[in-house]
Amino acid sequence: MKKPKGKYAWAATVGEKGQIVIPKQAREIFDIHPGDTLILLGDENRGLAIPPKSTFSQFAAAIFDTNTEEEEGDE
């Protein structure tokens, strides 16, 4: 089976303290460094997503900007 371009899968083991190690290849591809903050998003039906904080912050800012514009238009 051919892997789609830009799509990856890795395995990580959860330790006794609930910690996981992000594989080196994933850290390199996604520019993750010690001390970086990642956001854990969870959906009981769909699972976990772990975007970098910077990506999540941009997404959240876009949501708040949209809500602000809609609220201003409702006045």
Side-chain angles (χ1 to χ4, degrees), residues 13-20:
T13 301
V14 179
E16 290 182 25
K17 294 182 181 182
Q19 298 170 321
I20 62 169

Side-chain angles (χ1 to χ4, degrees), residues 4-70:
K5 184 176 178 153
K7 305 292 182 181
Y8 304 91
W10 295 280
T13 301
V14 179
E16 290 182 25
K17 294 182 181 182
Q19 298 170 321
I20 62 169
V21 174
I22 299 170
K24 181 180 179 185
Q25 184 186 25
R27 294 191 315 266
E28 290 173 348
I29 290 170
F30 294 101
D31 198 29
I32 299 170
H33 303 281
D36 286 355
T37 299
L38 303 176
I39 304 295
L40 286 135
L41 304 173
D43 180 299
E44 289 182 1
N45 295 318
R46 298 178 69 193
L48 292 172
I50 310 175
K53 182 180 177 187
S54 60
T55 301
F56 183 75
S57 296
Q58 292 167 359
F59 177 71
I63 291 170
F64 291 129
D65 287 343
T66 301
N67 288 340
T68 302
E69 291 171 8
E70 289 175 3

